[in-house]
Amino acid sequence: MEIGFAVPVSGSWATPENQVRIARRAEELGYHSLWAFQRLLFPAEPATKWAEAYRSVQDPVVTLAYLAGHTERVRLGVAVLNMPFFSPALLAKQAATLDVVSAGRLDLGLGLGWSREEYAASGVPYEHRGRRGEEFLRALHALWTEEVAEFHGDFYDFPPVRLSPKPVQRPHPPVLLGGAAEPALRRAGRLADGWISSSGADLSRLKEPITMVREAARAAGRDPESLRFVCRGVVRVGPPGNPERRPLTGSYEEIRGDLDMLRAQGVTELFYDLNFDPGIGSPNADPAASMRRAEEALEALAP
């Protein structure tokens, strides 16, 4: 199981200097990957409970492009970009460019999003998200892989066009889909290179969604063994011995001990994410204290 680490993208610790410090040290320690996430907006008056980590978030594409110039080996992932907030042509261009400037290190996580506020601000209807997403993926694939791409669908339409330069990775950067509902899981199995769990997932129960993705791949005539299963590991470091603790919480020894459980469920990659700890990923957190805690975790949990 490969091990990655999420860079500072949420809250007061998400500064360029801190991002580079974490990225460079993670690469030195042998981490396989660095990860960011997308949150476009935060509603002024949320109708439902939003995570503290969503209040102030750096753009992940810009962040990863910046870090591509400060690293050499480590892979750069986003979990996830929401397809409806882009056009296929725009995302195809941005992702191809990021793959070029990183020398082929991009892992592209894609999703549909759930925030009605973000949909409204993007000028996209909230209905038919699944159909829109499947069409988006087909259009994206055409732009990346065909010398002259043409597409005519219900949601996206473009005449014969050329997108250049193409991504470094062929046929294109790995596409990993998010989502927890059954249609989303089956979509990942049919169309993607793998699946990414969400920040709110119960990490003790990943076997069921992973099995569903694999079954969908098999039914579509694809090899389930070729798929990647990436776990966003929301880490909360604390005192040991809590009998009700959730996976990846507690002491470093307990957190490291959870890796076998995740591996046994079929997880192929895990990245530790401290952005969702309110004491770290909040605009109100002390950035210096956040970095001290994050760098301690980075060292203690190194692969």
Side-chain angles (χ1 to χ4, degrees):
M1 187 166 67
E2 303 286 3
I3 304 297
F5 203 89
V7 296
V9 290
S10 174
S12 59
W13 75 315
T15 66
E17 296 79 12
N18 289 347
Q19 289 169 345
V20 171
R21 277 174 60 184
I22 291 292
R24 285 178 170 169
R25 185 56 181 150
E27 188 166 64
E28 290 172 359
L29 290 168
Y31 281 89
H32 176 71
S33 53
L34 299 169
W35 292 83
F37 71 89
Q38 182 187 51
R39 189 81 278 138
L40 196 61
L41 300 169
F42 192 91
E45 298 181 1
T48 58
K49 185 177 181 180
W50 283 52
E52 182 72 6
Y54 293 155
R55 287 177 55 195
S56 175
V57 182
Q58 302 279 18
D59 179 82
V61 176
V62 174
T63 297
L64 294 180
Y66 173 64
L67 294 178
H70 290 277
T71 55
E72 297 178 356
R73 173 199 57 80
V74 68
R75 291 195 64 81
L76 305 170
V78 54
V80 296
L81 295 177
N82 292 309
M83 293 179 282
F85 307 158
F86 298 83
S87 70
L90 176 60
L91 185 56
K93 173 64 75 173
Q94 289 184 324
T97 302
L98 182 48
D99 204 48
V100 169
V101 301
S102 68
R105 291 186 282 146
L106 174 63
D107 286 324
L108 184 62
L110 297 176
L112 296 177
W114 46 263
S115 165
R116 290 182 179 271
E117 291 89 347
E118 289 178 333
Y119 266 82
S122 300
V124 182
Y126 196 71
E127 295 72 28
H128 309 299
R129 298 185 302 284
R131 286 178 52 217
R132 179 184 294 274
E134 294 204 14
E135 195 171 288
F136 190 106
L137 291 170
R138 293 198 303 272
L140 198 63
H141 185 270
L143 289 162
W144 279 336
T145 62
E146 298 174 13
E147 185 61 30
V148 176
E150 181 176 0
F151 193 88
H152 304 289
D154 295 330
F155 303 96
Y156 303 105
D157 190 288
F158 50 82
V161 294
R162 299 177 187 269
L163 184 135
S164 186
K166 300 294 188 186
V168 172
Q169 298 179 88
R170 298 300 174 90
H172 52 72
V175 172
L176 310 166
L177 294 187
E182 181 175 341
L185 297 170
R186 298 202 178 280
R187 185 179 304 118
R190 288 188 291 108
L191 301 176
D193 298 301
W195 175 72
I196 303 175
S197 66
S198 72
S199 60
D202 182 347
L203 302 188
S204 67
R205 302 183 65 180
L206 292 181
K207 184 176 182 179
E208 182 177 347
I210 288 174
T211 298
M212 192 171 294
V213 173
R214 291 169 62 88
E215 289 176 347
R218 188 178 294 108
R222 308 179 68 210
D223 179 11
E225 300 304 319
S226 69
L227 299 184
R228 297 164 56 184
F229 295 95
V230 182
C231 171
R232 180 194 297 278
V234 175
V235 172
R236 300 281 181 89
V237 180
N242 181 354
E244 299 180 356
R245 77 175 188 90
R246 300 181 63 182
L248 303 185
T249 67
S251 69
Y252 291 121
E253 183 177 2
E254 289 173 324
I255 291 170
R256 287 194 300 269
D258 290 329
L259 300 191
D260 287 340
M261 176 270 295
L262 293 170
R263 188 181 295 109
Q265 294 185 81
V267 172
T268 61
E269 303 168 47
L270 160 75
F271 66 93
Y272 297 113
D273 196 342
L274 276 69
N275 286 288
F276 289 84
D277 182 334
I280 295 178
S282 166
N284 300 323
D286 177 353
S290 297
M291 276 298 288
R292 285 195 298 271
R293 292 177 58 194
E295 290 179 312
E296 178 186 275
L298 188 68
E299 302 279 341
L301 298 173

